[in-house]
Amino acid sequence: MKSWISFLIPEDEYKEKKMLYFFSEGAILLFLFLITMIICNKYFDLNLDMVLMFCIAVFLIYVFGRYILSGIEYTDIATEQAYKKELKVICIKTINFVVIFMLLYFIFTGLPSNQMEWIEILGLLLSLSFLWFFTSFISLKRSYMKNKELL
Amino acid sequence: MKNNVKITRMKASITQEQLAKRIGVTRQTIGLIEKGEYNPSLHLCVAIAKELNKTLDDLFWEVDDS
C-alpha cells in the first residue's frame, strides 16, 4: 500500500506498523491539544506563537519519544559485543556533530566576541550534543534489551 | 500467535539474520514472529514459508501449545 507519507515509513513490516501507530497517536494528541487550546483561548489571552510552537513540540516529542522508547531503531543489536561497538559509533557521531556544528557556526556567524556569547554558544552546543547522545543511547539500550530476548 | 517458524528455521540451519535478509525484513521482526509477539501479514507469511520450503499450514496452523 502506497501513500504520500511512504517516504517517512520504514520498509520493514513491523517497523512500518509501529511508526504508523506513533504518527496516528501523535496526530490524535495534537488534535486534542488544539481543541484544548481553542477552549483555553476563550478564557485566557494566549500567545499565538507559543501555542503554535507547543503544537509542533507535542507532535514531535510524542512521535520521537515513542520511537526511542520502542527499541525499534537498532534492529540488529542483540549481543554485548555489537552493543558496545554501536555505543562507540554513537560517541563518534556525537563528536562529529559537535565539530561540524562549531565549524558551521564559526563560518556563518564568526567567532563569539565576548564571554557571554561564548557561554551561549557552548551551552547550546552542549545541550544539543547531550540530547543527541542521550536519545541515541536510550534507543540503543532499549533495542539491545528487546533484541536480546528475541534470540 | 504460536507458530513453528523457529523450530523449522533451526532444522534448516538458518540463522534469524539470514532468514531476515532473504525475505527483506529485520532480524527483530523474525524474532518477534518466532516468539508469537507479532502477527505477520499474509504476504510475509508466504515469504517465510517459501524460504523455509514449508506450507503455511506447517508453519502457522494450529500449533499445539504443550
Side-chain angles (χ1 to χ4, degrees):
Chain A
M1 200 184 296
K2 289 287 166 192
S3 146
W4 60 267
I5 204 178
S6 295
F7 74 98
L8 284 174
I9 306 296
E11 286 287 314
D12 178 67
E13 188 180 295
Y14 173 72
K15 279 180 92 170
E16 177 193 26
K17 207 169 182 180
K18 279 280 196 185
M19 285 309 294
L20 287 174
Y21 271 112
F22 298 159
F23 281 127
S24 309
E25 289 167 2
I28 288 171
L29 270 183
L30 179 59
F31 174 72
L32 293 174
F33 181 77
L34 285 168
I35 299 279
T36 311
M37 285 301 108
I38 288 171
I39 295 166
C40 287
N41 196 37
K42 286 188 186 291
Y43 303 103
F44 308 104
D45 185 25
L46 296 175
N47 182 326
L48 180 65
D49 288 343
M50 285 298 286
V51 172
L52 290 174
M53 286 293 284
F54 272 126
C55 287
I56 296 170
V58 163
F59 184 77
L60 283 184
I61 291 171
Y62 183 82
V63 174
F64 189 60
R66 289 278 278 147
Y67 179 71
I68 295 296
L69 294 174
S70 67
I72 59 172
E73 189 174 4
Y74 301 92
T75 50
D76 291 326
I77 308 298
T79 61
E80 197 173 345
Q81 197 183 4
Y83 169 74
K84 284 179 179 171
K85 196 177 168 187
E86 196 59 40
L87 196 58
K88 278 182 191 166
V89 173
I90 290 173
C91 289
I92 292 166
K93 278 183 181 172
T94 309
I95 293 166
N96 284 344
F97 167 74
V98 170
V99 172
I100 291 168
F101 184 94
M102 284 299 275
L103 280 174
L104 288 175
Y105 183 84
F106 291 153
I107 289 168
F108 290 107
T109 59
L111 285 170
S113 55
N114 55 50
Q115 195 183 7
M116 201 58 208
E117 281 187 12
W118 273 108
I119 292 170
E120 277 177 10
I121 182 63
L122 288 177
L124 177 68
L125 183 59
L126 283 176
S127 308
L128 285 177
S129 46
F130 177 74
L131 188 70
W132 177 304
F133 178 80
F134 193 61
T135 51
S136 302
F137 174 72
I138 291 174
S139 182
L140 176 64
K141 188 88 182 168
R142 300 280 296 193
S143 300
Y144 173 51
M145 300 304 278
K146 185 172 184 167
N147 295 336
K148 208 164 64 166
E149 287 174 11
L150 298 174
L151 280 178
Chain B
M1 179 181 73
K2 294 246 179 188
N3 58 66
N4 287 321
V5 174
K6 186 171 187 172
I7 198 155
T8 311
R9 176 182 62 75
M10 289 172 89
K11 277 181 187 167
S13 303
I14 300 171
T15 64
Q16 281 184 342
E17 202 170 359
Q18 287 168 336
L19 181 61
K21 270 188 185 165
R22 288 180 197 175
I23 58 176
V25 295
T26 64
R27 179 184 179 170
Q28 190 179 64
T29 302
I30 297 296
L32 288 161
I33 293 169
E34 286 180 353
K35 266 210 152 187
E37 289 178 16
Y38 172 64
N39 292 334
S41 66
L42 183 59
H43 178 76
L44 187 51
C45 289
V46 171
I48 294 170
K50 276 184 180 173
E51 201 54 52
L52 295 175
N53 290 318
K54 295 283 175 186
T55 64
L56 290 178
D57 281 6
D58 294 334
L59 295 178
F60 299 102
W61 189 255
E62 291 190 352
V63 175
D64 189 3
D65 283 352
S66 59

PDB file of all heavy atoms in Angstrom, chain A residues 18-30 54-70:
ATOM      1  N   LYS A  18       4.499  -0.071  13.462  1.00  0.00           N
ATOM      2  CA  LYS A  18       4.754   0.700  14.686  1.00  0.00           C
ATOM      3  C   LYS A  18       4.758   2.196  14.400  1.00  0.00           C
ATOM      4  O   LYS A  18       4.165   2.980  15.133  1.00  0.00           O
ATOM      5  CB  LYS A  18       6.122   0.295  15.269  1.00  0.00           C
ATOM      6  CG  LYS A  18       6.098  -0.977  16.071  1.00  0.00           C
ATOM      7  CD  LYS A  18       5.577  -0.673  17.448  1.00  0.00           C
ATOM      8  CE  LYS A  18       5.864  -1.754  18.437  1.00  0.00           C
ATOM      9  NZ  LYS A  18       5.239  -1.473  19.735  1.00  0.00           N
ATOM     10  N   MET A  19       5.467   2.588  13.337  1.00  0.00           N
ATOM     11  CA  MET A  19       5.573   4.017  13.020  1.00  0.00           C
ATOM     12  C   MET A  19       4.207   4.612  12.676  1.00  0.00           C
ATOM     13  O   MET A  19       3.913   5.741  13.054  1.00  0.00           O
ATOM     14  CB  MET A  19       6.549   4.232  11.843  1.00  0.00           C
ATOM     15  CG  MET A  19       8.009   4.076  12.202  1.00  0.00           C
ATOM     16  SD  MET A  19       8.545   5.011  13.633  1.00  0.00           S
ATOM     17  CE  MET A  19       8.379   6.689  13.079  1.00  0.00           C
ATOM     18  N   LEU A  20       3.389   3.827  11.968  1.00  0.00           N
ATOM     19  CA  LEU A  20       2.045   4.315  11.637  1.00  0.00           C
ATOM     20  C   LEU A  20       1.224   4.554  12.898  1.00  0.00           C
ATOM     21  O   LEU A  20       0.486   5.533  13.006  1.00  0.00           O
ATOM     22  CB  LEU A  20       1.325   3.336  10.700  1.00  0.00           C
ATOM     23  CG  LEU A  20       1.842   3.315   9.259  1.00  0.00           C
ATOM     24  CD1 LEU A  20       1.173   2.213   8.460  1.00  0.00           C
ATOM     25  CD2 LEU A  20       1.626   4.660   8.572  1.00  0.00           C
ATOM     26  N   TYR A  21       1.391   3.657  13.871  1.00  0.00           N
ATOM     27  CA  TYR A  21       0.714   3.848  15.164  1.00  0.00           C
ATOM     28  C   TYR A  21       1.208   5.133  15.844  1.00  0.00           C
ATOM     29  O   TYR A  21       0.416   5.916  16.361  1.00  0.00           O
ATOM     30  CB  TYR A  21       0.972   2.661  16.097  1.00  0.00           C
ATOM     31  CG  TYR A  21      -0.040   1.547  15.960  1.00  0.00           C
ATOM     32  CD1 TYR A  21       0.317   0.316  15.439  1.00  0.00           C
ATOM     33  CD2 TYR A  21      -1.357   1.727  16.378  1.00  0.00           C
ATOM     34  CE1 TYR A  21      -0.602  -0.716  15.318  1.00  0.00           C
ATOM     35  CE2 TYR A  21      -2.285   0.709  16.262  1.00  0.00           C
ATOM     36  CZ  TYR A  21      -1.904  -0.507  15.731  1.00  0.00           C
ATOM     37  OH  TYR A  21      -2.828  -1.516  15.611  1.00  0.00           O
ATOM     38  N   PHE A  22       2.525   5.324  15.849  1.00  0.00           N
ATOM     39  CA  PHE A  22       3.087   6.507  16.527  1.00  0.00           C
ATOM     40  C   PHE A  22       2.592   7.799  15.876  1.00  0.00           C
ATOM     41  O   PHE A  22       2.212   8.751  16.562  1.00  0.00           O
ATOM     42  CB  PHE A  22       4.623   6.479  16.510  1.00  0.00           C
ATOM     43  CG  PHE A  22       5.232   5.304  17.221  1.00  0.00           C
ATOM     44  CD1 PHE A  22       6.530   4.900  16.944  1.00  0.00           C
ATOM     45  CD2 PHE A  22       4.511   4.592  18.174  1.00  0.00           C
ATOM     46  CE1 PHE A  22       7.090   3.807  17.592  1.00  0.00           C
ATOM     47  CE2 PHE A  22       5.064   3.505  18.821  1.00  0.00           C
ATOM     48  CZ  PHE A  22       6.352   3.110  18.524  1.00  0.00           C
ATOM     49  N   PHE A  23       2.606   7.825  14.546  1.00  0.00           N
ATOM     50  CA  PHE A  23       2.125   9.022  13.843  1.00  0.00           C
ATOM     51  C   PHE A  23       0.637   9.263  14.130  1.00  0.00           C
ATOM     52  O   PHE A  23       0.217  10.400  14.362  1.00  0.00           O
ATOM     53  CB  PHE A  23       2.333   8.886  12.327  1.00  0.00           C
ATOM     54  CG  PHE A  23       3.750   9.145  11.889  1.00  0.00           C
ATOM     55  CD1 PHE A  23       4.440   8.222  11.116  1.00  0.00           C
ATOM     56  CD2 PHE A  23       4.411  10.321  12.226  1.00  0.00           C
ATOM     57  CE1 PHE A  23       5.746   8.452  10.707  1.00  0.00           C
ATOM     58  CE2 PHE A  23       5.722  10.564  11.824  1.00  0.00           C
ATOM     59  CZ  PHE A  23       6.383   9.623  11.056  1.00  0.00           C
ATOM     60  N   SER A  24      -0.141   8.185  14.126  1.00  0.00           N
ATOM     61  CA  SER A  24      -1.587   8.331  14.376  1.00  0.00           C
ATOM     62  C   SER A  24      -1.846   8.822  15.791  1.00  0.00           C
ATOM     63  O   SER A  24      -2.668   9.717  16.017  1.00  0.00           O
ATOM     64  CB  SER A  24      -2.310   6.991  14.182  1.00  0.00           C
ATOM     65  OG  SER A  24      -1.971   6.441  12.950  1.00  0.00           O
ATOM     66  N   GLU A  25      -1.148   8.221  16.755  1.00  0.00           N
ATOM     67  CA  GLU A  25      -1.323   8.646  18.152  1.00  0.00           C
ATOM     68  C   GLU A  25      -0.920  10.110  18.317  1.00  0.00           C
ATOM     69  O   GLU A  25      -1.605  10.882  18.999  1.00  0.00           O
ATOM     70  CB  GLU A  25      -0.476   7.760  19.078  1.00  0.00           C
ATOM     71  CG  GLU A  25      -1.010   6.342  19.218  1.00  0.00           C
ATOM     72  CD  GLU A  25      -0.017   5.382  19.866  1.00  0.00           C
ATOM     73  OE1 GLU A  25       1.088   5.830  20.257  1.00  0.00           O
ATOM     74  OE2 GLU A  25      -0.334   4.196  19.992  1.00  0.00           O
ATOM     75  N   GLY A  26       0.199  10.471  17.688  1.00  0.00           N
ATOM     76  CA  GLY A  26       0.683  11.853  17.739  1.00  0.00           C
ATOM     77  C   GLY A  26      -0.344  12.810  17.149  1.00  0.00           C
ATOM     78  O   GLY A  26      -0.596  13.886  17.698  1.00  0.00           O
ATOM     79  N   ALA A  27      -0.955  12.417  16.028  1.00  0.00           N
ATOM     80  CA  ALA A  27      -1.951  13.270  15.365  1.00  0.00           C
ATOM     81  C   ALA A  27      -3.179  13.445  16.253  1.00  0.00           C
ATOM     82  O   ALA A  27      -3.721  14.556  16.353  1.00  0.00           O
ATOM     83  CB  ALA A  27      -2.343  12.651  14.032  1.00  0.00           C
ATOM     84  N   ILE A  28      -3.614  12.372  16.914  1.00  0.00           N
ATOM     85  CA  ILE A  28      -4.797  12.469  17.792  1.00  0.00           C
ATOM     86  C   ILE A  28      -4.486  13.349  19.009  1.00  0.00           C
ATOM     87  O   ILE A  28      -5.290  14.190  19.407  1.00  0.00           O
ATOM     88  CB  ILE A  28      -5.280  11.065  18.203  1.00  0.00           C
ATOM     89  CG1 ILE A  28      -5.920  10.395  16.977  1.00  0.00           C
ATOM     90  CG2 ILE A  28      -6.291  11.124  19.354  1.00  0.00           C
ATOM     91  CD1 ILE A  28      -6.267   8.943  17.146  1.00  0.00           C
ATOM     92  N   LEU A  29      -3.288  13.182  19.570  1.00  0.00           N
ATOM     93  CA  LEU A  29      -2.884  14.032  20.700  1.00  0.00           C
ATOM     94  C   LEU A  29      -2.852  15.505  20.282  1.00  0.00           C
ATOM     95  O   LEU A  29      -3.301  16.382  21.027  1.00  0.00           O
ATOM     96  CB  LEU A  29      -1.492  13.629  21.186  1.00  0.00           C
ATOM     97  CG  LEU A  29      -1.408  12.577  22.272  1.00  0.00           C
ATOM     98  CD1 LEU A  29       0.042  12.372  22.680  1.00  0.00           C
ATOM     99  CD2 LEU A  29      -2.211  12.995  23.505  1.00  0.00           C
ATOM    100  N   LEU A  30      -2.319  15.737  19.091  1.00  0.00           N
ATOM    101  CA  LEU A  30      -2.238  17.104  18.575  1.00  0.00           C
ATOM    102  C   LEU A  30      -3.641  17.691  18.395  1.00  0.00           C
ATOM    103  O   LEU A  30      -3.893  18.845  18.758  1.00  0.00           O
ATOM    104  CB  LEU A  30      -1.485  17.095  17.235  1.00  0.00           C
ATOM    105  CG  LEU A  30      -1.325  18.427  16.522  1.00  0.00           C
ATOM    106  CD1 LEU A  30      -0.587  19.421  17.398  1.00  0.00           C
ATOM    107  CD2 LEU A  30      -0.560  18.238  15.221  1.00  0.00           C
ATOM    108  N   PHE A  54       4.119  25.012  20.733  1.00  0.00           N
ATOM    109  CA  PHE A  54       3.713  23.874  21.567  1.00  0.00           C
ATOM    110  C   PHE A  54       3.081  22.768  20.723  1.00  0.00           C
ATOM    111  O   PHE A  54       3.288  21.589  20.979  1.00  0.00           O
ATOM    112  CB  PHE A  54       2.727  24.324  22.659  1.00  0.00           C
ATOM    113  CG  PHE A  54       3.399  24.788  23.918  1.00  0.00           C
ATOM    114  CD1 PHE A  54       3.124  26.024  24.460  1.00  0.00           C
ATOM    115  CD2 PHE A  54       4.315  23.963  24.570  1.00  0.00           C
ATOM    116  CE1 PHE A  54       3.745  26.457  25.626  1.00  0.00           C
ATOM    117  CE2 PHE A  54       4.942  24.381  25.737  1.00  0.00           C
ATOM    118  CZ  PHE A  54       4.664  25.629  26.253  1.00  0.00           C
ATOM    119  N   CYS A  55       2.300  23.188  19.717  1.00  0.00           N
ATOM    120  CA  CYS A  55       1.652  22.200  18.829  1.00  0.00           C
ATOM    121  C   CYS A  55       2.707  21.335  18.146  1.00  0.00           C
ATOM    122  O   CYS A  55       2.594  20.105  18.112  1.00  0.00           O
ATOM    123  CB  CYS A  55       0.819  22.902  17.762  1.00  0.00           C
ATOM    124  SG  CYS A  55      -0.671  23.623  18.400  1.00  0.00           S
ATOM    125  N   ILE A  56       3.708  21.999  17.609  1.00  0.00           N
ATOM    126  CA  ILE A  56       4.780  21.257  16.925  1.00  0.00           C
ATOM    127  C   ILE A  56       5.501  20.370  17.937  1.00  0.00           C
ATOM    128  O   ILE A  56       5.789  19.202  17.667  1.00  0.00           O
ATOM    129  CB  ILE A  56       5.767  22.235  16.238  1.00  0.00           C
ATOM    130  CG1 ILE A  56       5.028  23.007  15.138  1.00  0.00           C
ATOM    131  CG2 ILE A  56       6.965  21.498  15.657  1.00  0.00           C
ATOM    132  CD1 ILE A  56       5.809  24.153  14.547  1.00  0.00           C
ATOM    133  N   ALA A  57       5.779  20.947  19.117  1.00  0.00           N
ATOM    134  CA  ALA A  57       6.517  20.199  20.148  1.00  0.00           C
ATOM    135  C   ALA A  57       5.741  18.957  20.594  1.00  0.00           C
ATOM    136  O   ALA A  57       6.318  17.882  20.739  1.00  0.00           O
ATOM    137  CB  ALA A  57       6.806  21.101  21.340  1.00  0.00           C
ATOM    138  N   VAL A  58       4.436  19.105  20.797  1.00  0.00           N
ATOM    139  CA  VAL A  58       3.615  17.974  21.249  1.00  0.00           C
ATOM    140  C   VAL A  58       3.747  16.809  20.268  1.00  0.00           C
ATOM    141  O   VAL A  58       4.018  15.673  20.658  1.00  0.00           O
ATOM    142  CB  VAL A  58       2.120  18.393  21.382  1.00  0.00           C
ATOM    143  CG1 VAL A  58       1.210  17.182  21.446  1.00  0.00           C
ATOM    144  CG2 VAL A  58       1.930  19.248  22.627  1.00  0.00           C
ATOM    145  N   PHE A  59       3.597  17.112  18.988  1.00  0.00           N
ATOM    146  CA  PHE A  59       3.652  16.052  17.973  1.00  0.00           C
ATOM    147  C   PHE A  59       5.055  15.451  17.882  1.00  0.00           C
ATOM    148  O   PHE A  59       5.225  14.228  17.947  1.00  0.00           O
ATOM    149  CB  PHE A  59       3.216  16.615  16.610  1.00  0.00           C
ATOM    150  CG  PHE A  59       3.151  15.566  15.541  1.00  0.00           C
ATOM    151  CD1 PHE A  59       2.087  14.677  15.494  1.00  0.00           C
ATOM    152  CD2 PHE A  59       4.154  15.447  14.599  1.00  0.00           C
ATOM    153  CE1 PHE A  59       2.021  13.691  14.516  1.00  0.00           C
ATOM    154  CE2 PHE A  59       4.101  14.463  13.618  1.00  0.00           C
ATOM    155  CZ  PHE A  59       3.036  13.587  13.581  1.00  0.00           C
ATOM    156  N   LEU A  60       6.060  16.324  17.759  1.00  0.00           N
ATOM    157  CA  LEU A  60       7.423  15.816  17.572  1.00  0.00           C
ATOM    158  C   LEU A  60       7.928  15.042  18.782  1.00  0.00           C
ATOM    159  O   LEU A  60       8.493  13.957  18.646  1.00  0.00           O
ATOM    160  CB  LEU A  60       8.381  16.979  17.284  1.00  0.00           C
ATOM    161  CG  LEU A  60       8.337  17.540  15.866  1.00  0.00           C
ATOM    162  CD1 LEU A  60       9.398  18.615  15.695  1.00  0.00           C
ATOM    163  CD2 LEU A  60       8.546  16.448  14.823  1.00  0.00           C
ATOM    164  N   ILE A  61       7.715  15.593  19.978  1.00  0.00           N
ATOM    165  CA  ILE A  61       8.208  14.928  21.186  1.00  0.00           C
ATOM    166  C   ILE A  61       7.508  13.583  21.375  1.00  0.00           C
ATOM    167  O   ILE A  61       8.144  12.581  21.705  1.00  0.00           O
ATOM    168  CB  ILE A  61       8.044  15.828  22.436  1.00  0.00           C
ATOM    169  CG1 ILE A  61       9.007  17.010  22.342  1.00  0.00           C
ATOM    170  CG2 ILE A  61       8.300  15.048  23.729  1.00  0.00           C
ATOM    171  CD1 ILE A  61       8.811  18.079  23.397  1.00  0.00           C
ATOM    172  N   TYR A  62       6.208  13.551  21.101  1.00  0.00           N
ATOM    173  CA  TYR A  62       5.485  12.287  21.280  1.00  0.00           C
ATOM    174  C   TYR A  62       5.990  11.218  20.310  1.00  0.00           C
ATOM    175  O   TYR A  62       6.366  10.118  20.721  1.00  0.00           O
ATOM    176  CB  TYR A  62       3.968  12.475  21.102  1.00  0.00           C
ATOM    177  CG  TYR A  62       3.225  11.187  21.354  1.00  0.00           C
ATOM    178  CD1 TYR A  62       2.924  10.783  22.645  1.00  0.00           C
ATOM    179  CD2 TYR A  62       2.895  10.328  20.304  1.00  0.00           C
ATOM    180  CE1 TYR A  62       2.290   9.572  22.883  1.00  0.00           C
ATOM    181  CE2 TYR A  62       2.269   9.112  20.532  1.00  0.00           C
ATOM    182  CZ  TYR A  62       1.974   8.742  21.822  1.00  0.00           C
ATOM    183  OH  TYR A  62       1.367   7.531  22.061  1.00  0.00           O
ATOM    184  N   VAL A  63       6.020  11.555  19.015  1.00  0.00           N
ATOM    185  CA  VAL A  63       6.408  10.563  17.999  1.00  0.00           C
ATOM    186  C   VAL A  63       7.867  10.138  18.210  1.00  0.00           C
ATOM    187  O   VAL A  63       8.185   8.939  18.227  1.00  0.00           O
ATOM    188  CB  VAL A  63       6.209  11.123  16.565  1.00  0.00           C
ATOM    189  CG1 VAL A  63       6.741  10.147  15.527  1.00  0.00           C
ATOM    190  CG2 VAL A  63       4.732  11.395  16.310  1.00  0.00           C
ATOM    191  N   PHE A  64       8.747  11.111  18.415  1.00  0.00           N
ATOM    192  CA  PHE A  64      10.166  10.810  18.604  1.00  0.00           C
ATOM    193  C   PHE A  64      10.376  10.007  19.894  1.00  0.00           C
ATOM    194  O   PHE A  64      11.118   9.026  19.920  1.00  0.00           O
ATOM    195  CB  PHE A  64      10.963  12.123  18.632  1.00  0.00           C
ATOM    196  CG  PHE A  64      12.443  11.931  18.602  1.00  0.00           C
ATOM    197  CD1 PHE A  64      13.052  11.279  17.527  1.00  0.00           C
ATOM    198  CD2 PHE A  64      13.251  12.406  19.623  1.00  0.00           C
ATOM    199  CE1 PHE A  64      14.424  11.099  17.504  1.00  0.00           C
ATOM    200  CE2 PHE A  64      14.615  12.232  19.600  1.00  0.00           C
ATOM    201  CZ  PHE A  64      15.214  11.579  18.539  1.00  0.00           C
ATOM    202  N   GLY A  65       9.685  10.412  20.959  1.00  0.00           N
ATOM    203  CA  GLY A  65       9.802   9.713  22.246  1.00  0.00           C
ATOM    204  C   GLY A  65       9.364   8.259  22.154  1.00  0.00           C
ATOM    205  O   GLY A  65      10.034   7.361  22.642  1.00  0.00           O
ATOM    206  N   ARG A  66       8.246   8.052  21.502  1.00  0.00           N
ATOM    207  CA  ARG A  66       7.737   6.678  21.331  1.00  0.00           C
ATOM    208  C   ARG A  66       8.709   5.840  20.506  1.00  0.00           C
ATOM    209  O   ARG A  66       8.929   4.663  20.790  1.00  0.00           O
ATOM    210  CB  ARG A  66       6.358   6.702  20.655  1.00  0.00           C
ATOM    211  CG  ARG A  66       5.262   7.232  21.527  1.00  0.00           C
ATOM    212  CD  ARG A  66       4.713   6.183  22.477  1.00  0.00           C
ATOM    213  NE  ARG A  66       3.744   5.328  21.816  1.00  0.00           N
ATOM    214  CZ  ARG A  66       3.565   4.042  22.090  1.00  0.00           C
ATOM    215  NH1 ARG A  66       4.322   3.457  22.988  1.00  0.00           N
ATOM    216  NH2 ARG A  66       2.659   3.335  21.469  1.00  0.00           N
ATOM    217  N   TYR A  67       9.266   6.459  19.472  1.00  0.00           N
ATOM    218  CA  TYR A  67      10.219   5.752  18.601  1.00  0.00           C
ATOM    219  C   TYR A  67      11.455   5.335  19.403  1.00  0.00           C
ATOM    220  O   TYR A  67      11.913   4.196  19.320  1.00  0.00           O
ATOM    221  CB  TYR A  67      10.609   6.672  17.435  1.00  0.00           C
ATOM    222  CG  TYR A  67      11.610   6.071  16.490  1.00  0.00           C
ATOM    223  CD1 TYR A  67      11.260   5.028  15.636  1.00  0.00           C
ATOM    224  CD2 TYR A  67      12.926   6.539  16.429  1.00  0.00           C
ATOM    225  CE1 TYR A  67      12.180   4.470  14.765  1.00  0.00           C
ATOM    226  CE2 TYR A  67      13.847   5.996  15.562  1.00  0.00           C
ATOM    227  CZ  TYR A  67      13.471   4.964  14.729  1.00  0.00           C
ATOM    228  OH  TYR A  67      14.386   4.414  13.869  1.00  0.00           O
ATOM    229  N   ILE A  68      11.966   6.265  20.193  1.00  0.00           N
ATOM    230  CA  ILE A  68      13.165   5.999  21.000  1.00  0.00           C
ATOM    231  C   ILE A  68      12.901   4.873  22.005  1.00  0.00           C
ATOM    232  O   ILE A  68      13.694   3.945  22.141  1.00  0.00           O
ATOM    233  CB  ILE A  68      13.590   7.287  21.767  1.00  0.00           C
ATOM    234  CG1 ILE A  68      14.024   8.387  20.799  1.00  0.00           C
ATOM    235  CG2 ILE A  68      14.689   7.008  22.793  1.00  0.00           C
ATOM    236  CD1 ILE A  68      15.231   8.087  19.986  1.00  0.00           C
ATOM    237  N   LEU A  69      11.766   4.975  22.698  1.00  0.00           N
ATOM    238  CA  LEU A  69      11.477   4.018  23.765  1.00  0.00           C
ATOM    239  C   LEU A  69      11.022   2.648  23.258  1.00  0.00           C
ATOM    240  O   LEU A  69      11.066   1.662  23.996  1.00  0.00           O
ATOM    241  CB  LEU A  69      10.412   4.590  24.715  1.00  0.00           C
ATOM    242  CG  LEU A  69      10.845   5.817  25.524  1.00  0.00           C
ATOM    243  CD1 LEU A  69       9.669   6.370  26.317  1.00  0.00           C
ATOM    244  CD2 LEU A  69      12.002   5.485  26.463  1.00  0.00           C
ATOM    245  N   SER A  70      10.584   2.590  22.002  1.00  0.00           N
ATOM    246  CA  SER A  70      10.067   1.311  21.490  1.00  0.00           C
ATOM    247  C   SER A  70      11.168   0.306  21.179  1.00  0.00           C
ATOM    248  O   SER A  70      10.900  -0.887  21.047  1.00  0.00           O
ATOM    249  CB  SER A  70       9.227   1.559  20.235  1.00  0.00           C
ATOM    250  OG  SER A  70      10.066   2.027  19.197  1.00  0.00           O
TER     251      SER A  70
END
